[in-house]
Amino acid sequence: QVQFVESGGGLVQPGGSLRLSCAASGSIFSIDVMGWYRQAPGKQRELVAMLDSGGSTNYADSVKGRFAISRDDAKNTVYLQMNSLKPEDTAAYLCNIIARVRGSPLTNYWGQGTQVTVSS
């Protein structure tokens, strides 16, 4: 019902920057929340940042001041600007939306993930 195109991941040196994007498509009626989670090998999935339709944001303490989330509702796209990257930011980053899709109630949907590796 919902498809995602995620991009922007890759290998970057410590202190560098990356910008992730995630475009959702399908029979989407509205998107309440758009966000990013990450999961490193052997660790639990954790929230990185989220942005609701009213403009409220929530960031993990570990990324505050370094990452910024934004969204383009006309394109059903969420972005994550990541600056001052650290090796501990290395993980698979997964796009998440809470959306109303035609014929379905409010539902959580996940992208396939894009790898971010911070290493010298």
Side-chain angles (χ1 to χ4, degrees), residues 4 8 10 16-17 24 31 35-36 45 48 50-51 59 61 67 71 79 81 86-87 108-109 113-114 118-119:
F4 294 89
S17 298
I31 301 177
W36 292 92
R45 186 174 297 182
V48 177
M50 61 190 308
L51 172 59
Y59 290 94
D61 287 343
F67 291 10
R71 59 192 279 178
Y79 305 94
Q81 178 66 44
K86 304 176 181 180
N108 214 5
Y109 297 93
T114 185
V118 185
S119 174

Side-chain angles (χ1 to χ4, degrees), residues 4-106:
F4 294 89
V5 177
E6 295 177 326
S7 62
L11 173 64
V12 64
Q13 292 187 341
S17 298
L18 285 173
R19 188 187 192 218
L20 305 183
S21 66
C22 172
S25 63
S27 302
I28 298 171
F29 179 70
S30 65
I31 301 177
D32 285 15
V33 181
M34 304 188 84
W36 292 92
Y37 288 71
R38 66 187 180 187
Q39 187 163 20
K43 295 188 177 181
Q44 288 190 329
R45 186 174 297 182
E46 63 173 356
L47 172 69
V48 177
M50 61 190 308
L51 172 59
D52 69 19
S53 56
S56 295
T57 58
N58 186 23
Y59 290 94
D61 287 343
S62 59
V63 308
K64 285 179 180 177
R66 299 189 297 123
F67 291 10
I69 189 170
S70 60
R71 59 192 279 178
D72 184 338
D73 288 333
K75 298 180 179 179
N76 287 340
T77 298
V78 60
Y79 305 94
L80 186 67
Q81 178 66 44
M82 305 186 294
N83 299 325
S84 303
L85 282 160
K86 304 176 181 180
E88 51 264 43
D89 295 317
T90 295
Y93 283 69
L94 299 100
C95 174
N96 173 263
I97 66 170
I98 301 175
R100 288 178 177 82
V101 173
R102 189 177 304 159
S104 300
L106 198 62

